[in-house]
Amino acid sequence: MRLTSVILLIIFFRLPDLMAQTMPVKGFCIGAPAHDQVANFVHFIDTVLAPRGVNTLILRIDYNYAYHSHPELQDEDPLTRQDVITMKVMARKHGIDIIPQINLLGHQSWQSNLGKLLEVYPQFDETPHVQIPEEGEYEWPNDDGLYCKSYCPLHPMVHDIVFDLVDEICEVFGASAFHAGMDEVFYLGDDQCPRCSGRDKAELFAGEVTKIRNHLSQKGRKLWIWGDRLIDGKTTGIGM
C-alpha cells in the first residue's frame, strides 16, 4: 500500500476525533417549547439532536419560565421547574450542555408586541417616546424607524431585575454559560434619553457586555452573545 493511501486511511478513521478538536462546539439554537410540548421536545433531543452529535443547545427562554424571583415577568402558562429538570436530564444523558438565553439590552419588542420587561417596567425603555400602536400591524420599515426596542443600560434599577432572572434561569438549568442575545441593538444612546444622550454608543454597548460578563463570572459562568454588533458596518457594508 502506498504511503499516501495509508495517510488517507488514517485521516478517514481519525476524522471524527480531528473534527472534535477543531470544532469542539456542535451547537443548535431553538426557542424553548411551550409547557404542553415538553415531552415532544425531550423526544426531539433524544432522537434528532443526540444522533447528530449536537453537544450544545442554546435554548431561547426569555419569559417562558415560571420565575419565582419576578413572577410578574413570566409568560402565560410558562415552563415549570419540573419541565426544565425533564429537559435537563435528557440533555445530560447525551452529553449536551444547555445554555439558556434571555434577550438583554435589545429585542425588547418585536413588531406589534412589546416585550414583557418593558410592558411591566416601562421606565426601563430607552425610547419611551416611540409608542407601538395598540391596533394593526407594526412592521419594519415604519415611520418611527423602530426595528425593536432596547432597555436603557444606564437605568439604575434595570440590572437588579434582569440579573435576578439570569441567576434564576442559570441555576435551574445548572448552566455554566448564559446567552444574553444582544443582537440588532439599533436603539442605544438615544438623544432623548436623560441618561444616555450624547454618550458614545459603542462604549454604552461595551459597558453593558462587560457588566453582564462580570456578573456571570462571579459564579463561574461564561457569557455568550450574538456577534453582529461586533461587525463594523461602515467597513463591511453589512447592514446598520
Side-chain angles (χ1 to χ4, degrees), residues 26-28 30 41 43-57 94 96:
K26 191 171 183 181
F28 186 79
I30 193 171
F41 190 76
H43 182 71
F44 172 71
I45 295 174
D46 190 33
T47 61
V48 178
L49 298 186
R52 286 163 174 78
V54 169
N55 60 19
T56 304
L57 175 59
H94 295 292
I96 299 174

Side-chain angles (χ1 to χ4, degrees), residues 69 94 97 119 139 157 172 175 197 202 223:
S69 58
H94 295 292
D97 292 328
E119 175 190 316
E139 299 179 350
M157 296 182 63
V172 71
S197 177
L223 171 64

